[in-house]
Amino acid sequence: MAYWLFKSEPETWGWDDQVAKGDAGEEWDGVRNYQARNFMREMALGDRGFFYHSQSDKAVVGIVEVCAEAHPDSKADDPRWECVDIKAVRPFQQPVTLDQIKADTRLSEMVLVRNSRLSVQPVTETEWRMICAMGQTDPD
DNA sequence: GCCAACGTTGGC
DNA sequence: GCCAACGTTGGC
């Protein structure tokens, strides 16, 4: 199983919106960046991801699961844009902020730190476990 | 609100 | 195919 990170502005689409969709999940639509799209193409059913709030929050706030593999983005007028569906699994007991992540040198290689603008990114298993621990949240 | 980083577009 | 111009994102 692979691990990922999904970034969203909470004012546009936040964790609460994601939770409201329940197990049916929701398309992770709106990605118009090839790198991010390509990562979504690599995702498999059951892969896990962090749900990250950018801008005002700048924190990992929950865990999501891929519940549909890449398919055309229903909101795009161009079929080259694809996306997966994700559903909320559980919230973080304690959100893990970008400051905390940056403060830990073991996480300095994270894409979140190195390329802050990429909205969909891979996370290593080590990073996954470390951040779950920081958030006092079950990683599985 | 500013600006750095980055991606995309379009003229040549 | 290069590169300048421009737009967007997101941290500060």
Side-chain angles (χ1 to χ4, degrees), chain A residues 8 10 22 28 37 52 67 73-74 82 90 103 109 122 130-131:
Chain A
S8 186
W28 195 253
R37 183 206 62 186
Y52 176 83
C67 58
D73 181 337
S74 70
E82 298 176 17
R90 73 176 67 91
E109 292 301 310
M130 204 172 294
I131 289 173

Coordinates of all heavy atoms in Angstrom, one line a residue, chain A residues 8 10 22 28 37 52 67 73-74 82 90 103 109 122 130-131:
Chain A
S8 N -5.7 20.9 0.4 CA -6.9 21.7 0.0 C -7.0 22.9 0.9 O -6.6 22.9 2.1 CB -8.1 20.8 0.2 OG -9.2 21.5 -0.3
P10 N -9.0 24.9 3.3 CA -10.2 24.6 4.1 C -11.4 25.4 3.7 O -12.5 24.9 3.9 CB -9.7 24.8 5.5 CG -8.5 25.6 5.4 CD -7.8 25.3 4.1
G22 N -19.1 11.0 3.8 CA -19.2 9.6 4.3 C -18.4 8.6 3.5 O -17.4 9.0 2.8
W28 N -11.7 13.9 -6.1 CA -10.7 14.9 -5.8 C -10.4 15.7 -7.1 O -9.4 15.7 -7.7 CB -9.3 14.3 -5.3 CG -8.5 15.3 -4.7 CD1 -7.3 15.8 -5.2 CD2 -8.7 15.9 -3.4 NE1 -6.8 16.7 -4.3 CE2 -7.6 16.8 -3.2 CE3 -9.6 15.7 -2.4 CZ2 -7.5 17.6 -2.0 CZ3 -9.5 16.5 -1.2 CH2 -8.5 17.4 -1.0
R37 N -1.5 15.0 -11.2 CA -2.4 14.0 -11.9 C -1.7 12.7 -12.0 O -2.3 11.6 -11.8 CB -2.8 14.6 -13.3 CG -3.7 13.6 -14.0 CD -3.6 13.7 -15.5 NE -2.3 13.3 -16.0 CZ -1.9 13.4 -17.2 NH1 -2.7 13.9 -18.1 NH2 -0.7 13.1 -17.6
Y52 N -4.6 17.5 4.1 CA -3.8 18.7 4.6 C -4.6 19.9 4.3 O -5.0 20.1 3.1 CB -2.4 18.7 3.9 CG -1.6 19.9 4.3 CD1 -0.8 19.9 5.4 CD2 -1.5 21.0 3.4 CE1 0.0 21.0 5.7 CE2 -0.7 22.1 3.7 CZ 0.0 22.1 4.9 OH 0.8 23.2 5.1
C67 N -11.0 5.5 -2.7 CA -12.1 4.6 -2.9 C -12.5 4.5 -4.4 O -13.5 3.8 -4.7 CB -13.3 5.0 -2.0 SG -13.9 6.6 -2.2
D73 N -11.9 13.6 -14.7 CA -12.4 14.6 -13.7 C -13.7 15.1 -14.3 O -13.7 15.7 -15.4 CB -11.4 15.7 -13.6 CG -11.8 16.8 -12.6 OD1 -13.1 17.0 -12.4 OD2 -11.0 17.5 -12.1
S74 N -14.8 14.8 -13.6 CA -16.1 15.2 -14.2 C -16.3 16.7 -14.3 O -17.2 17.2 -15.0 CB -17.3 14.6 -13.3 OG -17.3 15.3 -12.1
E82 N -7.6 13.9 -14.9 CA -8.2 12.8 -14.2 C -8.0 13.0 -12.7 O -7.2 13.8 -12.2 CB -7.4 11.5 -14.6 CG -7.6 11.1 -16.0 CD -6.8 9.9 -16.4 OE1 -6.4 9.1 -15.5 OE2 -6.5 9.7 -17.6
R90 N -10.4 8.7 9.3 CA -10.5 9.2 10.7 C -9.7 10.6 10.8 O -8.8 10.8 10.1 CB -9.9 8.2 11.7 CG -8.4 8.1 11.7 CD -7.9 7.1 12.7 NE -8.3 5.8 12.4 CZ -7.6 4.9 11.7 NH1 -6.4 5.2 11.2 NH2 -8.0 3.7 11.5
A103 N 10.1 21.6 11.8 CA 11.0 21.6 12.9 C 11.7 20.3 13.1 O 12.7 20.2 13.8 CB 10.2 21.9 14.2
E109 N 13.0 16.0 4.1 CA 12.9 15.5 2.7 C 11.5 15.4 2.2 O 11.3 15.1 1.1 CB 13.6 14.2 2.6 CG 15.1 14.2 2.8 CD 15.8 15.2 1.9 OE1 15.6 15.1 0.7 OE2 16.6 16.0 2.4
P122 N 3.4 12.2 -3.0 CA 3.6 10.9 -2.3 C 4.2 11.1 -0.9 O 4.9 12.1 -0.6 CB 4.7 10.2 -3.2 CG 5.4 11.3 -3.9 CD 4.4 12.4 -4.0
M130 N 5.6 8.5 11.3 CA 6.1 9.6 12.1 C 5.0 10.6 12.4 O 4.8 11.1 13.5 CB 7.3 10.2 11.5 CG 8.3 10.8 12.4 SD 9.8 11.3 11.6 CE 10.4 9.7 11.2
I131 N 4.4 11.0 11.3 CA 3.4 12.1 11.4 C 2.1 11.6 12.2 O 1.5 12.3 13.0 CB 3.0 12.7 10.0 CG1 4.2 13.5 9.6 CG2 1.8 13.5 10.1 CD1 4.2 14.0 8.1

